[in-house]
Structure formats: structure tokens, C-alpha cells
């Protein structure tokens, strides 16, 4: 079921759904859906996860954002508009009646990219953070834009998102180029994923740890979508990871 809707901007895609737990919350988890940044996919992908998080004692902020495609169908996004929205959507938590001392970002696929971006956004004046993240969980995240482009992930999704092939000027949007982050990152990835290969997480974690960051790879059985199945063992593992990051 959807949570209570709160807008963080005037565009129809600039809103989130807030799911509240009973009793004192463990913290906030920002749920960022995937879909290769495309308008064909929306935050309905995150609703089962948000409901499960609230049942587990978390405030869940299921975030929508402008995606790539026609504006009338939820598009009008891509870099930098999508990044602007994720930054503004997380900062909207400051206007809601929630404790923001613990704020974790949980992102699947392209949402994993956006979750990692959100942890570095405070480095840039454009996205100066009112509500900083305290940790990131990337679920089969697209964490290396250059490698994703070279591998043709999402049928050219990286070029469509950026508006051009990735290059040095895209460093603010590329998690691989932003390591080391100041917060821990856990990358959970299915060993049978044929949509976003586990090499995306493996290479990110190797690069991040070599740079002195706190980063960990958790490989689980399953494919790309097992991670967002709220009835799966992979999701149970994800809940445990989030609790460890409190």
C-alpha cells in the first residue's frame, strides 16, 4: 500500500511516500527504485520494500523522481535533473516530522547508483545537503557508469541518462569516481544477475576499499529482481544489513 504522499517540488514526479512504523523508529531508510532511470518504471517497485521496512521499525521514504522519457509519462529527467530530484527529495526529510540522525539510502539497480550519488552530493554546491546520509545499501547497483556504458547495460541507458557517452566531466554523477565516501556502503548483489552483472559491485567495492572507504560486497543467490522480492531470503539479509548500519 502507498504511504502518505509528500511533494518536494512542483513537477508531478517530485514526491515521496512516507511509511511510518509503530512506536519509536530505528531511523529512516530512503527507498530509491531502479529501472535504468527510465520513465517506464516508478516508485511502485519500492512499495513492498517500504511496507516491510515500516513493519521492521523503520521510517521508509519511498522516493519518486524525474526519469528519462516524455515529461507527460514521468520523464523529463536524466542528469542533472534526476540528481537534483534525489538530492531535494532526501532533503525534504528535514521538513517532515521524523528523526534524521540515522538516514540510510537503499537503492536497487539504477536506484543503487542514485543512493551512492546521494552520499557524495554534499561535496558539490549544487546539491549541498541539509540531510546527510549515514550509510548506503546498493542492491545490484549501477556503480560504474563507464563500465555500464561499455557493457551496453539497459540498451544504452547510461548514454540516455547522461545525454552523451560518459566522460571526465561526469565525475559528480559517477559513484566509481567519488570514492572514498565518508559513509559505509554495502553492495548486495545476486550471483545470477544477468541485467546488472555482479562485477559492478565487485569492482566498486575493490576500488572503494583500496581508497580506504568502508565498503562490503554481500553476494546472495538469485537474479536481479530477487533483491526486491520482500519475501525472499535476499530481502531478509538486506534487512539485517540495514540494522547493522544503525
Amino acid at each position: 500500500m502507498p504511504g502518505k504522499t509528500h511533494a518536494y517540488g512542483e513537477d508531478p514526479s517530485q514526491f515521496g511516500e512516507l511509511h511510518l512504523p509503530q512506536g519509536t523508529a530505528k531511523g529512516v531508510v530512503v527507498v530509491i527504485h531502479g529501472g535504468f532511470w527510465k520513465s517506464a518504471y516508478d516508485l511502485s517497485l519500492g512499495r513492498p520494500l517500504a511496507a516491510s521496512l515500516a513493519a521492521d521499525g523503520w521510517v521508509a521514504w519511498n522516493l519518486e523522481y524525474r526519469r528519462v522519457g516524455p515529461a507527460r509519462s514521468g520523464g523529463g529527467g536524466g542528469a542533472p535533473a534526476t540528481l537534483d530530484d534525489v538530492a531535494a527529495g532526501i532533503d525534504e526529510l528535514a521538513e517532515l516530522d521524523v528523526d534524521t540522525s540515522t538516514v540510510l539510502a537503499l537503492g536497487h539497480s539504477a536506484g543503487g547508483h542514485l543512493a551512492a550519488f546521494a552520499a557524495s552530493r554534499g561535496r558539490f554546491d549544487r546539491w549541498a545537503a541539509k540531510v546527510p546520509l549515514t550509510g548506503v545499501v546498493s542492491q545490484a547497483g549501477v556503480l560504474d557508469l563507464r563500465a555500464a556504458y561499455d557493457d551496453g547495460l539497459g540498451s544504452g541507458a547510461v548514454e540516455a541518462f547522461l545525454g552523451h557517452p560518459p566522460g571526465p566531466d561526469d565525475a559528480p554523477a559517477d559513484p566509481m569516481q567519488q570514492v572514498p565516501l565518508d559513509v559505509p556502503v554495502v553492495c548486495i548483489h545476486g550471483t545470477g544477475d544477468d541485467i546488472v552483472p555482479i562485477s559492478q559491485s565487485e569492482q566498486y567495492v575493490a576500488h572503494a576499499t583500496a581508497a580506504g572507504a568502508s565498503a562490503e560486497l554481500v553476494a546472495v543467490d538469485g537474479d536481479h529482481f530477487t533483491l526486491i522480492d520482500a519475501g525472499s531470503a535476499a530481502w531478509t539479509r538486506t534487512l539485517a544489513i540495514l540494522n547493522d548500519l544503525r
Side-chain angles (χ1 to χ4, degrees), residues 21-37:
Q22 294 185 348
T24 302
K26 297 176 178 179
V28 180
V29 176
V30 181
V31 179
I32 310 177
H33 72 82
F36 282 117
W37 310 282

Side-chain angles (χ1 to χ4, degrees), residues 135-146:
V136 172
V137 177
S138 168
Q139 302 170 290
V142 182
L143 300 174
D144 183 341
L145 295 186
R146 182 75 229 183

